[in-house]
Amino acid sequence: MVLPRTYVNVDEMIRDTIEDVGFQANKLIEEEMHHEKSSQVCRIQVNGMTCTSCSTTLESALQVIPGVQKARVALATQEAEICYDPKIVECNQLLEAIGNTGFEGILISTGGDSSRILLKVDGVDTENCVKLIQNSLLAIQGVQEIDFDIQLKKLSVSYTADVTGPRDFIRAIESTESGCFKACIFPQGREREEHRQHEIRQYYKAFIWSLVFTVPVFFTSMVFMYIPGLKDVLETKVANMLTVGQVVRWVLSTPVQFIIGRKFYVGAYIALSHGYANMDVLIALGTNAAYFYSVYSVLRAATSPTFKASDFFETSSMLISFILLGKYLEVLARGKTSEAIAKLMDLAPKTATLLTLDDKGNVVNEEEVDSRLIQKNDVIKTIPGSKVACDGLVIRGQSHINESMITGESRPVTRKTGDMVIGGTLNENGVLHIKATRVGSETALSQIVRLVESAQMAKAPVQRFADHISKYFVPIVIALSFCTWISWFLAGTFNSYPRTWIPSSMDCFELALQFGISVMVVACPCALGLATPTAVMVGTGVGASLGVLIKGGQALESAQEVNCIVFDKTGTLTIGKPMVVNTRIFKTMVSQEFYQLIAAAEVNSDHPLAKAIVEYAKKLRGSEENLAWSEASDFESIAGHGVKAIICNKEVILGNKSLMMEQGIVVPVEAEEALAETEGQAQTGILVSIDKELIGVLSVSDPLKPEAPEVISILKSMNIESMIVTGDNWGTANAIAKQAGIERKHVVAEAKPEQKAEKVKELQDLGKVVAMVGDGVNDSPALVAADVGIAIGAGTDIAIEAADIVLMKSSLKDVITAIDLSKKTFRRIHLNYFWALGYNLLSIPIAAGVLFPSTHFRLPPWIAGAAMAASSVSVVCSSLLLKNYKKPKKLNTLDLQGITVE
């Protein structure tokens, strides 16, 4: 009798068990999942940022928090996107960190594997009510996490969408023992728009109130002094040399300085207390210098019988008024840059018709529900003229669906039983019953919105230039302002310029002070900070409306430099719907039996050629009810070559010639001839081997996309080189290349996925900027390796995830659109930078008085402030001009030739 061994720990037991069955266990490798970083993304609205200094400071503060993997802060959208490890840091800590930096953070969304919904629950007053609701919800299978904000009456529920959904939660809440709770979807999705509208109203209100006080200040200072009668009243002495006009200006400008302009003081205090200087610091310093010098001047006049005061109250109040006007116009314009997201979100219908079916599939009830309450496997009725409420499968009916709002393709497409439909698209003429397959955040529309939002957050490398300048901009401007003031003051004190240069109402100190203030308020870091993000936001939004999803500034910047494009063949240059057009069997074998074996192998592959073979085999079997194929064992997909499997105790191998040679299978002469003939006709030849003997050759045709030759020709005219890199055979690849107009020397065939990526790197080593266009899993390594990965929208999810640009319409023309839009966007960015830098480099010397000695022209501080405000608005408006983008004329000509109609 063998006594069982005792173990100190599980590791020792595992090691002995492995050795007992004849293997050697050397050392224990720690389970990777313990060390693997989990990752989650949250989006936070940030209020209080005024310029690039604010966004870069906040970004740096977030980056140093333990657990934060990546943080991006966008000034243009006033948002932060943070990728973090939820095991180390929580969202609340991130919000706290934002608060500690001096800004207000409002959580927009958190990412995760589970679905999440927010409900508003009325009737909850005590902690006991909260516990009652929590217990009711936790009893539902699939509910993972519950969080309740009793002040807002907001309930957050994380759940598994395949198991349960929001209607179950509302039903559970309203059927609790007390029966006094009412639940509905929490009003969400409009917070950002509401905040923007609130910000617009705030600036507008502040500007109007500032005008109420500033206009009288301006008139008493600049106009009434030249009107007889009014001049005498204003110059009436109140105390010693203090006049009525000075008292009026002081009284009227004080509310503008300290009440209406309070936000600039608050912003400056927050910035300085956290160790950086922003736009608010410049405004506060400039206006304070003018205001407090004026206060000193009038107080001295009030106590002196001889001192004649000169005040600048109009300077500080007009300065604040113009800056508020500029901020108001900037917020208005900035909102228009993100209209693309708002339009996408509005595509989803507000309500949907929910059907209840009996066991036989007959409708027993119809109910109109909020579309956000749809759960997986619900059946939704969609009538003509209404929008599809969610992604789903048509289970009854036939109609034409207009998908232009999602894909950009204007021609309606037929959808019938068994077809998939996309939420947000328009049903034109038939009644459809749709079974929901993807709801909430899983729908294609939600994913597109997230992609566009993420793209607008992503910084282009050129943005680093502005970020770098912003660190030093404000301190340098303050130093220049001080140097300007001291230089003019000393020059006047030591009579370095004629006294006639000094206006009669000033002395040399006051003239110097005006020059110094002008320098401080004319400089504009905001224009530099907005130059790139606003253009990227508009560019990606325009792309989304055209069916070209560009994943951020990096993709835009790389795409506009592309000079070489590598195309996959199947599904990219070709239509992607191959058909078996010929079969040659070299041994005595019934065609149906032959296809029974090869279809049983290919049904396990997702390659387009495999699907074509399975479809053809189905047709051969006719209308059999049971279309189940024989079970395949030891199935292996050999990327770029073919498949092999054991079917009915027979080894079946399908693939190209190189696969047969690797497997030691002899290819007879008749098969070689059939293969050459097939490839000569731009068809793909697939060799079939059963039990190491070559049995037949399949000819599969996948015609070239009609627009491909013209697209290749247009790319050539743009000095962009085109190549084909495919896993298909050389004969077919060369034939397709010839039809498309690609030279033979630019064709690479029989390439495995890793070889495609190697070819991309080889081209990059030659100094080329490479774009890879593909649609399959086997293209993913090359899509990642390329400078720009472009995925065909009809391709696999893996290819789309790996790509930088996604073409929703699967049209090759959009490759040109993506490149052209990228070029136009970056021209706009360069123009924005040219204007922003040119403005600062020109305006600062003029404000400092460079032209004054020769022309006696000087820039008063209030005009300098107006110019500063106008520079930010002009940059945003310049970016908005991208909304007028039109596709290249060559593409319009291509449309007129009848290749595609948009």
Side-chain angles (χ1 to χ4, degrees):
M1 180 179 177
V2 180
L3 293 172
R5 285 171 285 185
T6 57
Y7 298 96
V8 175
N9 55 46
V10 177
D11 299 344
E12 191 180 324
M13 183 179 72
I14 293 170
R15 188 181 292 109
D16 281 350
T17 305
I18 293 169
E19 289 174 350
D20 285 346
V21 293
F23 300 101
Q24 185 178 358
N26 295 322
K27 63 176 182 177
L28 181 71
I29 299 173
E30 292 287 337
E31 189 178 351
E32 288 184 10
M33 66 181 291
H34 289 305
H35 300 284
E36 190 178 320
K37 287 183 179 178
S38 59
S39 183
Q40 198 163 305
V41 177
C42 73
R43 296 175 67 83
I44 297 173
Q45 181 180 306
V46 182
N47 300 333
M49 293 192 296
T50 57
C51 66
T52 320
S53 297
C54 300
S55 57
T56 51
T57 300
L58 179 57
E59 199 168 276
S60 301
L62 290 170
Q63 290 280 19
V64 298
I65 297 173
V68 172
Q69 296 155 6
K70 188 177 182 182
R72 297 189 295 198
V73 180
L75 174 66
T77 57
Q78 300 278 297
E79 287 179 16
E81 185 179 80
I82 307 164
C83 181
Y84 65 101
D85 187 343
K87 295 176 183 175
I88 301 173
V89 65
E90 295 180 351
C91 270
N92 289 338
Q93 292 171 280
L94 299 175
L95 290 169
E96 190 179 331
I98 291 171
N100 292 338
T101 317
F103 305 105
E104 181 191 8
I106 301 170
L107 185 65
I108 297 172
S109 64
T110 56
D113 295 328
S114 60
S115 298
R116 178 173 168 267
I117 190 147
L118 296 176
L119 300 174
K120 183 178 182 183
V121 185
D122 291 321
V124 180
D125 301 314
T126 64
E127 287 296 329
N128 287 334
C129 295
V130 173
K131 287 178 182 177
L132 192 62
I133 289 171
Q134 286 178 334
N135 292 336
S136 298
L137 292 175
L138 288 171
I140 300 172
Q141 187 180 0
V143 172
Q144 297 175 345
E145 190 179 341
I146 298 168
D147 184 42
F148 199 97
D149 186 330
I150 198 166
Q151 287 185 328
L152 296 175
K153 300 188 184 299
K154 183 166 72 172
L155 175 68
S156 171
V157 185
S158 297
Y159 62 98
T160 306
D162 289 321
V163 180
T164 187
R167 288 203 313 282
D168 296 336
F169 309 148
I170 291 174
R171 199 178 298 118
I173 291 168
E174 294 183 349
S175 61
T176 51
E177 293 173 9
S178 65
C180 60
F181 304 131
K182 288 291 179 185
C184 63
I185 296 288
F186 193 86
Q188 192 193 15
R190 297 289 176 187
E191 292 93 338
R192 279 174 285 182
E193 180 59 23
E194 285 172 5
H195 171 72
R196 194 176 73 83
Q197 291 299 332
H198 176 67
E199 195 176 16
I200 289 170
R201 286 193 298 271
Q202 269 193 325
Y203 277 119
Y204 178 75
K205 188 177 176 182
F207 172 63
I208 294 300
W209 274 109
S210 71
L211 282 185
V212 168
F213 294 99
T214 301
V215 169
V217 171
F218 173 78
F219 274 93
T220 57
S221 175
M222 305 283 189
V223 179
F224 294 160
M225 298 305 293
Y226 300 98
I227 299 175
L230 288 176
K231 179 182 178 183
D232 296 334
V233 172
L234 293 173
E235 288 185 347
T236 303
K237 302 290 189 295
V238 177
N240 288 325
M241 297 297 288
L242 178 65
T243 65
V244 170
Q246 290 166 345
V247 173
V248 169
R249 289 192 290 274
W250 186 8
V251 170
L252 290 173
S253 63
T254 299
V256 178
Q257 184 71 32
F258 298 108
I259 299 174
I260 298 169
R262 179 178 177 273
K263 71 184 308 320
F264 301 120
Y265 284 97
V266 172
Y269 171 76
I270 289 169
L272 293 173
S273 63
H274 289 89
Y276 69 96
N278 64 0
M279 193 72 214
D280 291 331
V281 173
L282 292 180
I283 295 167
L285 283 174
T287 56
N288 276 336
Y291 179 83
F292 284 108
Y293 174 75
S294 301
V295 170
Y296 158 76
S297 184
V298 296
L299 288 176
R300 186 177 171 188
T303 56
S304 170
T306 57
F307 180 77
K308 188 177 180 181
S310 294
D311 66 88
F312 301 136
F313 287 120
E314 81 285 349
T315 295
S316 65
S317 56
M318 289 175 71
L319 198 52
I320 288 172
S321 297
F322 276 115
I323 289 167
L324 287 171
L325 174 62
K327 285 289 182 184
Y328 169 69
L329 294 174
E330 183 187 319
V331 173
L332 270 181
R334 205 168 59 201
K336 292 184 182 295
T337 62
S338 56
E339 279 182 354
I341 292 175
K343 287 178 180 176
L344 283 170
M345 293 176 77
D346 285 341
L347 288 177
K350 300 292 183 287
T351 60
T353 303
L354 177 66
L355 300 181
T356 305
L357 308 180
D358 61 16
D359 295 338
K360 296 179 181 178
N362 299 317
V363 178
V364 295
N365 186 43
E366 289 188 15
E367 179 188 0
E368 190 171 297
V369 297
D370 189 316
S371 60
R372 293 170 295 179
L373 293 176
I374 296 173
Q375 299 178 190
K376 276 192 179 179
N377 300 318
D378 281 346
V379 177
I380 306 298
K381 178 182 176 181
T382 308
I383 60 175
S386 65
K387 290 180 179 179
V388 178
C390 62
D391 296 1
L393 179 73
V394 178
I395 60 172
R396 184 184 296 178
Q398 180 172 327
S399 182
H400 286 91
I401 301 289
N402 186 341
E403 298 182 345
S404 60
M405 59 285 294
I406 301 292
T407 66
E409 181 60 68
S410 59
R411 289 179 297 177
V413 291
T414 303
R415 291 287 181 259
K416 57 185 184 301
T417 302
D419 290 339
M420 298 298 296
V421 290
I422 305 171
T425 54
L426 184 66
N427 180 23
E428 293 203 337
N429 54 17
V431 177
L432 297 176
H433 289 187
I434 300 163
K435 184 178 182 180
T437 56
R438 294 198 293 184
V439 296
S441 60
E442 296 178 354
T443 63
L445 182 59
S446 296
Q447 289 174 11
I448 291 170
V449 168
R450 275 204 306 275
L451 193 150
V452 175
E453 283 180 334
S454 184
Q456 295 185 344
M457 288 291 298
K459 288 186 180 180
V462 71
Q463 176 70 23
R464 294 181 198 134
F465 170 69
D467 290 347
H468 185 70
I469 288 177
S470 71
K471 292 179 185 176
Y472 311 103
F473 188 90
V474 174
I476 288 173
V477 168
I478 293 170
L480 285 173
S481 174
F482 179 78
C483 291
T484 300
W485 169 70
I486 207 76
S487 299
W488 277 101
F489 175 62
L490 291 175
T493 302
F494 294 106
N495 299 316
S496 298
Y497 59 80
R499 305 298 295 177
T500 54
W501 286 12
I502 304 173
S504 58
S505 59
M506 299 184 191
D507 58 23
C508 66
F509 176 86
E510 291 166 344
L511 179 66
L513 185 63
Q514 286 238 339
F515 280 128
I517 293 171
S518 293
V519 169
M520 194 171 294
V521 297
V522 82
C524 186
C526 297
L528 280 169
L530 293 168
T532 297
T534 52
V536 169
M537 283 177 71
V538 178
T540 52
V542 168
S545 68
L546 295 172
V548 178
L549 300 183
I550 303 170
K551 298 182 182 178
Q554 174 75 62
L556 273 170
E557 185 160 351
S558 300
Q560 54 101 25
E561 296 174 342
V562 165
N563 53 26
C564 178
I565 298 183
V566 176
F567 291 95
D568 175 45
K569 182 184 75 69
T570 306
T572 303
L573 283 174
T574 62
I575 290 173
K577 293 182 179 177
M579 296 171 59
V580 177
V581 293
N582 194 17
T583 307
R584 297 191 188 184
I585 303 174
F586 305 121
K587 301 292 179 183
T588 304
M589 193 174 192
V590 178
S591 159
Q592 199 166 354
E593 183 189 351
F594 174 75
Y595 271 98
Q596 170 73 24
L597 289 171
I598 62 175
E602 292 285 27
V603 77
N604 298 290
S605 171
D606 65 350
H607 195 281
L609 296 179
K611 291 177 181 176
I613 293 168
V614 173
E615 284 300 314
Y616 188 74
K618 285 180 182 178
K619 290 178 184 177
L620 285 180
R621 288 178 65 168
S623 58
E624 291 182 37
E625 287 185 13
N626 183 15
L627 281 175
W629 305 104
S630 302
E631 188 177 343
S633 59
D634 298 333
F635 174 82
E636 184 182 353
S637 177
I638 302 146
H641 287 298
V643 300
K644 59 186 290 191
I646 304 297
I647 314 290
C648 302
N649 296 319
K650 294 180 180 180
E651 185 188 50
V652 179
I653 302 175
L654 292 92
N656 54 24
K657 187 178 175 181
S658 61
L659 177 61
M660 297 300 159
M661 293 174 69
E662 281 180 16
Q663 298 294 322
I665 298 164
V666 177
V667 181
V669 176
E670 56 187 341
E672 293 268 18
E673 291 173 352
L675 205 56
E677 184 183 337
T678 298
E679 292 170 359
Q681 296 172 356
Q683 297 170 357
T684 301
I686 299 174
L687 299 171
V688 181
S689 158
I690 298 175
D691 288 336
K692 298 294 182 183
E693 184 180 8
L694 201 130
I695 299 294
V697 177
L698 308 180
S699 298
V700 181
S701 174
D702 186 11
L704 190 71
K705 286 180 177 175
E707 74 269 22
E710 288 294 334
V711 168
I712 299 301
S713 174
I714 292 170
L715 288 171
K716 200 174 289 183
S717 71
M718 294 168 69
N719 296 318
I720 296 175
E721 187 177 276
S722 299
M723 294 187 68
I724 293 180
V725 178
T726 177
D728 211 336
N729 61 75
W730 281 96
T732 305
N734 284 324
I736 289 290
K738 185 178 180 181
Q739 291 178 12
I742 297 173
E743 298 175 40
R744 286 176 68 97
K745 66 178 182 180
H746 291 150
V747 178
V748 177
E750 298 181 9
K752 294 180 180 179
E754 62 272 18
Q755 290 170 328
K756 290 183 179 183
E758 285 168 9
K759 183 62 184 177
V760 167
K761 290 173 184 172
E762 185 183 311
L763 291 166
Q764 289 169 330
D765 291 340
L766 294 173
K768 296 183 184 296
V769 180
V770 183
M772 171 72 196
V773 187
D775 71 324
V777 174
N778 59 338
D779 298 320
S780 299
L783 288 168
V784 173
D787 296 288
V788 183
I790 303 177
I792 298 293
T796 63
D797 290 341
I798 295 173
I800 291 169
E801 184 66 30
D804 302 300
I805 297 173
V806 180
L807 310 181
M808 295 295 291
K809 283 188 287 188
S810 301
S811 169
L812 287 174
K813 291 186 304 171
D814 286 339
V815 172
I816 296 170
T817 301
I819 293 170
D820 184 66
L821 177 59
S822 299
K823 288 179 183 289
K824 296 277 173 59
T825 302
F826 260 77
R827 279 186 208 142
R828 184 62 54 182
I829 289 171
H830 292 147
L831 181 64
N832 288 350
Y833 273 127
F834 177 78
W835 164 250
L837 279 173
Y839 163 80
N840 282 294
L841 291 173
L842 192 65
S843 62
I844 290 174
I846 291 173
V850 168
L851 300 179
F852 190 69
S854 58
T855 64
H856 290 282
F857 173 79
R858 64 186 178 86
L859 205 62
W862 63 272
I863 293 179
M868 182 273 286
S871 68
S872 293
V873 176
S874 63
V875 164
V876 178
C877 291
S878 168
S879 295
L880 284 171
L881 290 175
L882 275 172
K883 295 179 84 171
N884 300 322
Y885 171 80
K886 303 291 182 189
K887 289 184 179 182
K889 290 182 179 178
K890 293 175 182 178
L891 287 184
N892 295 331
T893 306
L894 194 149
D895 288 343
L896 292 172
Q897 291 172 350
I899 291 169
T900 53
V901 180
E902 289 196 346

